[in-house]
Amino acid sequence: MRVSGVIDTSGGCAEWTFPAEANAVRTARHAVRDTLRGWELDGGVSDVAVLLVSELVTNSLRYASGPIGVRMVRHDPGALLVEVSDPLPEEPVERDAGPDDEGGRGLQLVACSARRWGTRRGRTGKTVWFELALPG
């Protein structure tokens, strides 16, 4: 898998582009976890960020056929912004998953776990973003 990425070593911004391939989710999880560890944001925030990125990249893989972008920005004071982009222009729809449904919980998980979240259209697709509060 050919992944391109840029990481600001001062801890301000990191971004990657993953091909729409099955191992993109695992690769994205590792990239996010390793970067947050380098920014000394281990633990709860890292675990939630990795989980939500995993959900959103999985959704992108399921519905879009092009490259998937992941971007993290550490905002002061105390917020981590994470964006997942893909070339599909349709915004995702949050739905109520039943107890026996195999899927449909990703956006519910984002909505329950993030301080704020939303979507926006771009020139060639959409971005789903979420914000997590940082400790301290």
Side-chain angles (χ1 to χ4, degrees):
M1 168 179 277
R2 182 169 163 77
V3 176
S4 61
V6 175
I7 300 173
D8 174 359
T9 56
S10 67
C13 183
E15 57 186 294
W16 305 270
T17 302
F18 304 97
E21 298 174 0
N23 57 350
V25 177
R26 180 173 39 93
T27 307
R29 277 196 308 260
H30 287 290
V32 168
R33 185 174 306 283
D34 292 347
T35 300
L36 293 174
R37 185 176 297 128
W39 291 352
E40 299 179 356
L41 294 174
D42 290 343
V45 169
S46 177
D47 292 342
V48 172
V50 168
L51 174 64
L52 298 184
V53 165
S54 179
E55 289 293 331
L56 294 177
V57 171
T58 297
N59 285 349
S60 290
L61 277 175
R62 178 173 285 167
Y63 300 109
S65 60
I68 301 164
V70 176
R71 182 174 180 257
M72 295 192 306
V73 179
R74 187 176 180 171
H75 286 288
D76 288 322
L80 177 69
L81 173 68
V82 181
E83 302 172 328
V84 177
S85 303
D86 65 48
L88 191 67
E90 289 83 21
E91 293 184 7
V93 177
E94 188 176 357
R95 60 187 178 112
D96 293 324
D100 295 327
D101 291 347
E102 292 282 326
R105 292 177 183 80
L107 289 179
Q108 289 177 332
L109 192 57
V110 172
C112 291
S113 303
R115 178 163 73 177
R116 298 183 320 145
W117 77 280
T119 62
R120 68 174 181 274
R121 286 187 179 202
R123 289 184 310 206
T124 59
K126 69 166 170 319
T127 299
V128 179
W129 61 269
F130 62 88
E131 186 178 271
L132 299 174
L134 296 177

